[in-house]
């Protein structure tokens, strides 16, 4: 690497670090607040380093009867919703990116509608559908979360799939492969950056969704984590320290998913199919 | 032109499914009929003053009760349920706890779908609203022994259950606001006792103010009506007439204007903290730290301070008396209601009635739920700090029990903002509020 | 360029479409039509069959309501500012994070962290920082930089309230835009940059002639999605203004809709507000898609 490239990298890192300050300051404050005893949660003036540390908030929050249960429920729902969304939206995106039939673009815009209606407005009729199908359980969450994500993720993947070079498909067609082969063996493997985004987005959405889970889950044992954390707040007294602690712990799974799948954001991975 | 068969297929599929769904929906809500649990239980006659419960249904009935109690309150509620179930072998009570901020949404969603709980604990301000929608069961004339049950309740909390001359709930727990005074701030300013009259209050507020130390004599949490309400009511203010037909001459009447004028004066002189306009130091923290010499708040402050400021000694005093020499305050709390659409209304009513029994009320008092039964005031089972509140409850008034109360609150809220910012005088601002409220009452 | 040399891939398409369609019709289209229907009624929640048909009255009421008009203004201003800043800074961050260097994963995670934090917590923090009497921002502006003479009561002023709300959304959203841009950058073959470098093009020229054009679809996607998100803003507004404080001047369209539906139990009016918003979002998105796709082509 020559000196100019070295300087370039140095400059990048400097800018990134400065930006980090802005980005991480609130996060840092969240973290230290979770270790403060209740009295100091909203002290004036604010201190960037707590005067007294305590683990009380974590012990109390994680020790609450059902915290682990809610955590597990959220995990199940999020993983299932993510898998289903990836499958369904990639199948839809494939149709829009590669297949042709009359009315295709119109249908695409119909799907895009899913992003344009405020979800809050749909809760009551969705509740009616769930009641009709007896879905006041995790499946009700999974199916609705998938539906609410289809529009954006199909939109995203359509763009990704359209960018996949067609040379490989020509070859596969000559070998006698049909659309399914092309879908599974060519399009999907070459679209990992896009699919990773879908995974990260859908997991995050399912993990933190509140409004639907609030009304659709009636059995306390099936509650998801956001509801559990909301229950830390009561009408008059809220144990903010515990809320902070619980919310930070809730961050971890999403972070893990992100770390795992951001590996695929590596330059040039999608072109490897062309070489050799 | 090629036939777009696919598109037509799709469109027809959409229309068919949409019609099916929308056609199903309006019929989905069953109209409620007073349900009998089992043939063995006698149906109630409207004039019956039932003595004892008739023979219980052979099959156990389970009722759903929704609430927003905190963790310690929920634990105590479980004990109340155990006692109830022991006394009523045919009935089981299942509860669902909701997060406070999202409770109304959950309730409305359930009501829209017909899938309602049998009983619920409602904020007092919602009862007339829900009753107006037809979501609640009328209790006078249907709940056994109703007249006896309400005889002992405080008038303020009881009145929150009234809509169109009928009762749609029972007052479950109540609270009110009293004066909190910071003893060290008072001593530093040379005042020995909390103010007994409004004149003393206004004077003390300014004596306690020290601009250099950024200390204020008095602070309110916001401009929503709940905040100035105690002072408003103590000075003789009223929002509407008894029959809730007009606000003219009431919310903009001389007493109401006097109350708000006093507050505006304090604000202009710098004795009332500007935090009430939004986004300043919170009243609970400010009071404990000495920034706010006086605030007006409720019994929950004891728990809040125990948790957040364990070294702070909170001091309560009654709301200072107004020009007529009497004190007053505003009533808060919750009512218990039975919902239309419940298939177990009788069992639900038994549960509601039990919640108003002295035993149940005393048990919940242990976790800070102030009873609505006047006879329990001064009872040794009550936490000691209840005394000043229960005394205040004798004169506390409820806010207007009307479905449009939210908008009325908003009208007064906006008027308060306008007068504080100097856009209008208190009289002008309240005149406008009166007009807006009248429009809501039509 | 068709895969199959025939006029319609209808049959295979149906198989791929079916699962998504079923879900979409059941849980979105049906509910959407149901709530659309509600908007034409004075809706009774306990006995919907007693609802009163009022035609477009709910819509007219909304359009002529000054509170609604103010909500639109707030929402538009918020959208324009947040989307612009998030696009610019998001692209900047993505470009910086695109190269291979030691510790890159750490930086990526750090910039993404705000995206996954809880709205409740960070709203609280921003309220705390912008506290009118004892907040960090006032302290810096007044006591450190001496830019303002007196403490600013941020949340007492209907326009200043938007500042922490906008900042919060930007802070929370840059990482998300950056990740999408990052994924899009992967589709650009490295050889193109190599060839350009050999030809003597500096980084700025590479950006203009290679990166920007090839990021076309990603940019289109982001603009459409971010604008939709901005117009649908609800959580930060609700948490920081508690529904329009002060004086109903700080509503977003959706906080107003929420208050109408679940606050005042006027489902018909709330539905009308939602669908006015939906129509607006649809038109805007359509325009964006047409314009931007043409440019990208």
């Amino acid at each position: 690497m020559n000196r100019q490239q070295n300087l370039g990298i140095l400059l990048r890192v400097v800018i990134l670090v400065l930006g980090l300050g802005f980005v991480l300051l609130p996060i840092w404050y969240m973290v230290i607040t979770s270790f403060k005893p209740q009295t100091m949660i909203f002290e004036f003036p604010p201190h960037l380093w707590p005067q007294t540390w305590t683990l009380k908030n974590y012990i109390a929050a994680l020790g609450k009867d059902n915290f682990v249960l809610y955590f597990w429920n959220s995990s199940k729902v999020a993983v299932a919703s993510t898998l289903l969304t990836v499958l369904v939206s990639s199948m839809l995106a494939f149709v829009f990116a590669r297949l042709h039939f009359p009315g295709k673009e119109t249908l695409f815009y119909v799907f895009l509608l899913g992003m344009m209606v405020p979800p809050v407005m749909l809760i009551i009729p969705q509740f009616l559908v769930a009641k009709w199908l007896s879905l006041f359980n995790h499946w009700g969450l999974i199916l609705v979360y998938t539906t609410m994500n289809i529009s954006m993720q199909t939109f995203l993947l359509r763009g990704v799939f359209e960018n996949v070079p067609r040379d490989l498909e020509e070859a596969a067609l000559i070998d006698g492969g049909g659309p399914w082969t092309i879908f599974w063996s060519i399009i999907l493997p070459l679209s990992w950056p896009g699919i990773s985004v879908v995974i990260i987005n859908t997991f995050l959405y399912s993990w933190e969704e509140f409004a639907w889970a609030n009304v659709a889950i009636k059995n306390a044992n099936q509650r998801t984590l956001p509801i559990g954390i909301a229950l830390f707040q009561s009408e008059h007294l809220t144990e903010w320290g515990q809320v902070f602690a619980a919310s930070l712990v809730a961050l971890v799974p999403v972070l893990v998913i992100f770390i795992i799948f951001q590996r695929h954001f590596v330059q040039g991975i999608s072109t490897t199919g062309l070489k050799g | 032109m090629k036939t777009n068969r696919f598109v037509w297929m799709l469109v027809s599929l959409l229309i068919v499914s949409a019609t099916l769904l929308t056609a199903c929906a309006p019929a989905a809500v069953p109209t409620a009929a007073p349900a009998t649990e089992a043939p063995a239980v006698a149906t109630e006659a409207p004039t019956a003053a039932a003595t004892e419960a008739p023979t219980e249904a052979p099959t156990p009935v389970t009722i759903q009760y929704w609430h927003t109690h905190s963790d310690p309150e929920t634990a105590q509620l479980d004990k109340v349920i155990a006692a109830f179930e022991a006394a009523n072998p045919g009935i089981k009570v299942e509860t669902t706890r909701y997060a406070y901020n999202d409770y109304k949404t959950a309730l409305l969603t359930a009501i829209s779908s017909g899938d309602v709980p049998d009983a619920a604990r409602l904020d007092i301000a919602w009862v007339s609203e829900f009753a107006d929608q037809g979501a609640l069961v009328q209790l006078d004339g249907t709940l056994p022994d109703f007249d006896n049950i309400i005889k002992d309740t405080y008038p303020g909390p009881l009145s929150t259950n009234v809509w169109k001359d009928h009762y749609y709930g029972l007052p479950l727990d109540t609270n009110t606001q009293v004066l909190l005074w910071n003893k060290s701030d008072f001593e530093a300013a040379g005042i020995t006792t909390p103010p007994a009259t409004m004149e003393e209050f206004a004077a003390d507020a300014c004596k306690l103010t020290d601009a250099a130390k950024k200390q204020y004599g008095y602070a309110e949490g916001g401009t929503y009506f709940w905040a100035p309400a105690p002072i408003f009511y103590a000075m003789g203010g009223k929002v509407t007439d008894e029959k809730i037909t007009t606000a003219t001459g009431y919310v903009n009447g001389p007493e109401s204007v006097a109350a708000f004028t006093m507050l505006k004066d304090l604000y202009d002189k710098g004795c009332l903290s500007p935090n009430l306009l939004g986004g300043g130091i919170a009243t609970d923290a400010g009071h404990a730290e000495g920034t706010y010499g006086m605030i007006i708040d409720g019994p929950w402050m004891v728990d809040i301070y125990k948790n957040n400021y364990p070294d702070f000694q909170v001091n309560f005093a009654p709301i200072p008396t107004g020009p007529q020499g009497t004190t007053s305050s505003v009533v808060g709390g919750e009512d218990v209601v039975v919902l239309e659409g419940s298939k177990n209304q009788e069992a639900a009513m038994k549960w509601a009635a039990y919640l108003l029994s002295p035993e149940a009320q005393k048990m919940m008092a242990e976790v800070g739920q102030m009873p609505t039964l006047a006879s329990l005031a001064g009872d040794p089972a009550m936490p000691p700090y209840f005394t000043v509140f229960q005394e205040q409850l004798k004169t506390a008034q409820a806010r207007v029990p009307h479905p449009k109360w939210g908008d009325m609150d908003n009208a007064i809220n906006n008027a308060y903002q306008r007068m504080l910012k100097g856009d209008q005088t208190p009289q002008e601002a309240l005149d406008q509020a009166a007009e807006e409220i009248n429009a809501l009452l039509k | 360029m068709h895969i199959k040399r025939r006029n319609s891939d209808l049959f295979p398409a149906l198989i791929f479409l079916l699962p998504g369609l079923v879900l979409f019709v059941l849980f979105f289209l049906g509910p959407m039509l149901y709530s659309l229907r509600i908007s034409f009624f004075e809706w009774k929640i306990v006995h919907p069959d007693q609802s009163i048909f009022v035609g477009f009255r709910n819509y007219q009421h909304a359009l002529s309501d000054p509170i609604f008009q103010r909500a639109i203004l707030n929402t538009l201003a918020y959208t324009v500012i947040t989307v612009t800043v998030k696009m610019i800074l998001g692209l900047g961050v993505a470009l910086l994070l695109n190269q291979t260097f030691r510790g890159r994963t750490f930086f990526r995670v750090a910039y993404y962290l705000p995206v996954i934090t809880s709205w409740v917590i960070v709203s609280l923090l921003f309220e705390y920082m912008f506290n009118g009497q004892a907040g960090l921002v006032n302290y810096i502006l007044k006591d450190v930089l001496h830019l303002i003479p007196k403490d600013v009561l941020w949340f007492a002023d209907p326009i200043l309230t938007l500042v922490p709300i906008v900042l919060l959304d930007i802070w929370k959203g840059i990482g998300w835009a950056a990740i999408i841009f990052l994924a899009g950058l992967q589709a650009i073959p490295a050889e193109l940059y190599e060839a350009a470098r050999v030809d003597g093009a500096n980084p700025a020229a590479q950006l203009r002639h290679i990166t920007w054009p090839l990021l076309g679809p990603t940019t289109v996607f982001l603009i459409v999605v971010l604008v939709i998100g901005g117009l649908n803003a609800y959580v930060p507004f609700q948490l920081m203004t508690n529904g329009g404080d002060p004086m109903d001047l700080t509503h977003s369209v959706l906080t107003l809709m929420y208050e109408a539906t679940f606050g005042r139990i006027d489902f018909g009016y709330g539905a009308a507000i939602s669908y006015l918003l939906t129509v607006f979002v649809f038109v805007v998105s359509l325009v964006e898609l047409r314009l931007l796709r043409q440019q990208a082509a």
Side-chain angles (χ1 to χ4, degrees):
Chain A
M1 281 216 281
N2 65 24
R3 220 166 112 224
Q4 191 181 43
Q5 283 177 318
N6 272 340
L7 265 178
I9 295 199
L10 187 62
L11 190 59
R12 279 171 203 272
V13 177
V14 167
I15 299 183
L16 277 178
V17 171
L18 285 180
L20 256 194
F22 167 65
V23 166
L24 288 188
L25 185 61
I27 308 249
W28 173 248
Y29 203 77
M30 274 166 54
V31 172
I32 58 172
T33 302
S34 70
F35 289 106
K36 290 190 205 167
Q38 185 78 356
T39 42
M40 311 226 294
I41 299 281
F42 294 122
E43 56 196 359
F44 301 113
H47 296 285
L48 280 180
W49 192 261
Q51 265 113 336
T52 23
W53 291 83
T54 176
L55 278 181
K56 209 174 47 145
N57 294 325
Y58 282 93
I59 299 176
L62 301 185
K64 275 202 203 305
D65 303 334
N66 290 316
F67 188 84
V68 175
L69 175 64
Y70 298 157
F71 195 93
W72 173 237
N73 287 338
S74 276
S75 308
K76 283 194 291 184
V77 170
V79 168
S81 307
T82 306
L83 285 176
L84 191 59
T85 305
V86 169
L87 189 63
V88 173
S89 53
S90 58
M91 283 166 65
L92 286 176
F94 178 68
V95 168
F96 291 116
R98 285 290 190 267
L99 303 182
H100 293 269
F101 54 87
K104 178 175 94 161
E105 287 307 317
T106 318
L107 186 62
F108 184 63
Y109 285 125
V110 170
F111 272 107
L112 281 194
L113 263 185
M115 285 196 287
M116 303 184 196
V117 177
V120 162
M121 203 53 234
L122 302 174
I123 288 196
I124 298 208
Q126 282 172 337
F127 191 81
L128 289 170
V129 174
K131 180 175 167 195
W132 176 43
L133 297 171
S134 301
L135 283 176
F136 289 141
N137 50 34
H138 288 163
W139 273 110
L141 297 186
I142 295 170
L143 293 180
V144 169
Y145 290 171
T146 305
T147 310
M148 299 311 276
N149 271 296
I150 282 180
S151 306
M152 171 155 40
Q153 308 313 330
T154 304
F155 185 17
L156 178 90
L157 285 179
R158 178 183 182 170
V160 170
F161 290 173
E162 279 172 351
N163 267 347
V164 175
R166 299 183 192 241
D167 325 21
L168 295 167
E169 293 162 41
E170 303 290 348
L173 279 172
I174 294 174
D175 283 349
W180 192 253
T181 325
I182 298 186
F183 177 66
W184 267 120
S185 322
I186 301 177
I187 300 273
L188 282 187
L190 288 181
S191 306
W192 269 110
I195 295 188
S196 299
V197 173
V198 172
I199 291 177
I200 293 173
N201 278 343
T202 317
F203 191 86
L204 176 62
Y205 176 90
S206 314
W207 186 258
E208 63 176 22
E209 201 279 336
F210 181 85
W212 177 242
N214 185 41
V215 300
I217 296 291
K218 312 205 187 181
N219 184 344
N221 288 333
Q222 292 186 330
R223 279 189 190 132
T224 52
L225 199 53
I227 311 285
I229 297 184
L231 289 175
F232 283 47
Q233 293 176 259
S234 53
E235 187 180 350
H236 298 295
L237 169 64
T238 295
E239 305 261 15
W240 283 113
Q242 291 178 15
V243 179
F244 275 66
S247 301
L248 282 174
V249 171
L251 278 185
V252 170
V254 189
L255 210 53
V256 166
I257 296 282
F258 177 75
I259 295 178
I260 294 176
F261 286 97
Q262 61 82 39
R263 278 183 306 142
H264 296 289
F265 300 160
V266 172
Q267 182 97 42
I269 235 185
S270 56
T271 64
T272 51
L274 282 175
K275 301 195 173 146
Chain B
M1 287 258 278
K2 298 198 182 102
T3 38
N4 278 351
R5 270 183 40 228
F6 177 76
V7 178
W8 279 115
M9 254 172 53
L10 199 58
V11 171
S12 350
L13 179 67
L14 294 179
I15 294 183
V16 166
S17 41
T19 334
L20 278 178
L21 284 166
T22 53
C24 286
V29 181
T31 35
T36 43
E37 302 162 62
V41 181
T43 32
E44 305 301 328
T47 49
T51 38
E52 282 312 311
T55 45
E56 291 301 327
T59 48
V61 161
T62 308
I63 58 170
Q64 299 285 336
Y65 178 60
W66 286 9
H67 64 88
T68 55
H69 282 298
S70 65
D71 279 337
E73 292 164 16
T74 306
Q76 191 72 348
L77 182 68
D78 287 339
K79 295 196 198 146
V80 175
I81 292 176
F84 172 75
E85 288 176 348
N88 295 275
I91 310 179
K92 289 244 161 292
V93 179
E94 273 179 14
T95 63
T96 311
R97 180 188 165 198
Y98 281 90
Y100 181 70
N101 288 330
D102 308 283
Y103 186 40
K104 200 172 184 188
T105 309
L107 276 170
L108 288 174
T109 307
I111 292 175
S112 309
S113 72
D115 215 27
V116 297
D118 300 283
R121 179 176 182 257
L122 284 191
D123 193 284
I124 52 177
W126 299 348
V127 175
S128 54
E129 227 184 350
F130 279 55
D132 191 49
Q133 293 284 331
L136 305 180
V137 173
Q138 177 188 318
L139 294 183
D140 53 310
T142 45
L143 189 135
D145 213 20
F146 180 78
D147 299 318
N148 258 337
I149 293 176
I150 62 170
K151 255 199 312 212
D152 191 27
T153 56
Y154 291 110
L158 180 63
S159 68
T160 64
N161 293 290
V162 176
W163 178 236
K164 293 217 168 109
D165 297 322
H166 285 287
Y167 289 87
Y168 289 91
L170 291 174
L172 181 58
D173 60 84
T174 187
N175 55 62
T176 183
Q177 298 192 83
V178 300
L179 185 69
L180 278 75
W181 56 289
N182 186 312
K183 203 154 185 203
S184 26
D185 279 1
F186 268 64
E187 282 168 2
I191 318 173
T192 42
T193 52
T197 67
M198 280 302 171
E199 280 115 24
E200 287 173 31
F201 170 77
D204 286 351
C206 287
K207 276 195 227 158
L208 291 159
T209 301
D210 185 338
K213 286 200 245 163
K214 286 210 211 164
Q215 276 179 4
Y216 298 89
Y218 178 56
E220 288 183 344
T223 48
Y224 38 83
F225 183 66
W226 176 259
I231 293 182
F232 178 83
Y233 283 128
M235 289 182 69
K238 295 256 182 285
V239 179
T240 66
D241 61 314
E242 285 266 341
K243 297 260 186 258
I244 318 178
T245 57
T246 180
T248 311
Y250 292 89
V251 78
N252 60 341
E255 297 91 354
S256 311
V257 175
F260 275 105
T261 307
M262 179 186 88
L263 288 168
K264 161 118 175 96
D265 275 344
L266 288 178
Y267 176 76
D268 287 339
K269 291 194 221 156
C271 309
L272 171 60
S273 162
N275 74 299
L276 82 171
L277 288 173
I281 298 180
T283 46
D284 55 333
H287 184 64
E289 296 184 359
T291 312
Y292 301 146
M294 294 185 285
I295 62 172
I296 290 180
D297 219 320
W300 43 81
M301 297 309 289
V302 171
D303 271 340
I304 291 182
Y305 284 138
K306 227 179 9 191
N307 243 286
N308 300 358
Y309 293 95
D311 297 326
F312 177 65
Q313 181 59 41
V314 62
N315 290 299
F316 295 116
I319 302 286
T321 59
Q324 292 107 346
T326 48
T327 178
S328 186
S329 188
V330 64
V331 161
E334 278 86 11
D335 299 326
V336 58
V337 298
V338 175
L339 285 93
E340 289 277 2
S342 155
K343 301 196 180 53
N344 304 298
Q345 286 181 16
E346 279 196 21
M349 288 193 208
K350 287 211 180 92
W351 166 241
Y354 183 72
L355 284 170
L356 261 81
S357 66
E359 315 90 68
Q361 295 261 310
K362 277 198 237 187
M363 280 169 78
M364 293 309 286
E366 288 172 37
V367 282
Q369 297 282 290
M370 205 165 285
T372 49
L373 302 177
S375 56
L376 286 179
D379 190 300
M382 303 287 109
Y385 68 89
F386 272 16
T387 323
V388 62
F389 291 94
Q390 286 173 317
E391 189 59 34
Q392 187 78 67
L393 274 170
K394 295 189 190 151
T395 49
Q397 303 174 49
R399 294 157 293 171
V400 183
H402 190 277
K404 299 251 170 69
W405 167 249
D407 290 327
M408 297 184 207
D409 192 329
N410 211 20
I412 304 178
N413 186 341
N414 293 348
Y416 200 8
Q417 287 262 339
R418 289 192 303 268
M419 68 175 87
L420 286 175
K421 290 184 174 153
D423 297 338
Q424 288 175 317
T425 66
Q427 181 74 61
E428 289 166 355
L430 290 171
D431 285 338
Q432 184 176 335
E435 267 177 46
E436 292 170 8
I437 295 179
N438 282 339
L440 294 163
L441 291 176
K442 272 212 282 277
Chain C
M1 282 203 273
H2 296 215
I3 293 178
K4 297 213 156 103
R5 307 277 179 251
R6 69 178 198 201
N7 288 332
S8 164
D9 303 307
L10 193 51
F11 183 63
L14 268 181
I15 304 202
F16 281 90
L17 284 176
L18 208 57
L21 264 183
V22 169
L23 279 179
F24 197 68
V25 167
L26 260 185
F27 290 105
F28 176 75
L29 273 183
M32 182 189 105
L33 292 170
Y34 181 88
S35 57
L36 179 58
R37 181 163 171 266
I38 290 183
S39 71
F40 295 106
F41 286 79
E42 192 185 297
W43 193 255
K44 307 278 180 218
I45 59 170
V46 178
H47 301 288
D49 44 332
Q50 290 173 10
S51 304
I52 307 169
F53 181 72
V54 293
F56 280 98
R57 196 181 70 188
N58 286 327
Y59 290 88
Q60 287 166 339
H61 179 204
L63 289 171
S64 58
D65 182 7
I67 297 181
F68 179 70
Q69 292 160 0
R70 181 62 182 248
I72 295 181
L73 245 115
N74 292 335
T75 313
L76 276 177
Y78 166 90
T79 304
V80 167
I81 300 177
T82 56
V83 174
T84 313
V85 175
K86 285 195 279 194
M87 291 291 287
I88 298 178
L89 292 184
L91 179 59
V93 169
L95 289 171
L96 288 171
L97 292 177
N98 197 21
Q99 298 294 55
T100 350
F101 58 89
R102 197 104 38 101
R104 180 180 61 173
T105 307
F106 166 75
F107 278 101
R108 285 181 172 186
V109 171
Y111 275 90
Y112 190 67
L113 266 180
V115 178
I116 63 181
T117 51
S118 130
W119 277 108
V120 170
I121 302 273
V122 291
S123 297
L124 210 64
L125 278 175
F126 271 66
E127 277 180 323
Y128 180 51
M129 286 198 299
F130 280 84
N131 189 299
Q133 293 167 304
L136 191 62
V137 173
N138 272 349
Y139 178 68
I140 293 181
L141 287 179
K142 186 177 74 143
D143 300 312
V144 173
L145 295 175
H146 299 292
L147 285 174
I148 54 175
K150 277 192 339 165
D151 277 331
V152 174
L153 281 180
W154 296 91
F155 292 100
D157 181 296
I159 296 187
L160 287 181
T161 305
L162 295 178
V163 172
I165 297 179
V166 163
L167 276 179
L168 173 56
D169 185 73
I170 292 178
W171 177 82
K172 214 168 177 302
I174 292 182
W176 193 81
I179 293 307
I180 307 274
F181 270 128
L182 205 54
L185 286 172
Q186 309 322 312
I188 306 178
E191 302 90 58
L192 289 180
Y193 289 112
E194 285 299 331
R197 236 191 307 271
V198 161
D199 282 352
N202 61 27
Q206 288 174 33
L207 189 63
R208 262 186 65 207
H209 295 288
I210 303 179
T211 316
W212 184 245
L214 287 178
L215 266 186
T218 312
T219 312
V220 170
F221 172 80
L222 263 180
I223 293 185
V224 172
V225 171
L226 285 178
V227 166
I228 293 180
L231 292 171
N232 275 286
Y234 170 72
V235 179
F237 275 87
Q238 180 64 36
L239 289 175
M240 300 234 249
T241 70
N242 204 30
D245 284 341
M247 312 232 329
D248 288 318
L249 291 170
T250 58
H251 273 293
S252 69
V253 175
L254 281 189
T255 60
L256 195 57
M257 171 256 164
Y258 210 86
E259 183 186 276
T261 310
F262 296 110
R264 284 190 266 116
I265 318 189
D266 191 349
F267 279 29
Y269 187 57
I273 295 181
S274 303
Y275 283 101
L276 280 174
L277 181 66
T278 303
V279 166
F280 185 68
V281 167
F282 188 70
V283 167
V284 166
S285 307
L286 224 62
V287 166
E288 286 167 349
L289 280 173
R290 287 285 161 82
L291 273 182
L292 296 170
R293 282 201 138 175
Q294 271 172 16
Q295 276 189 12

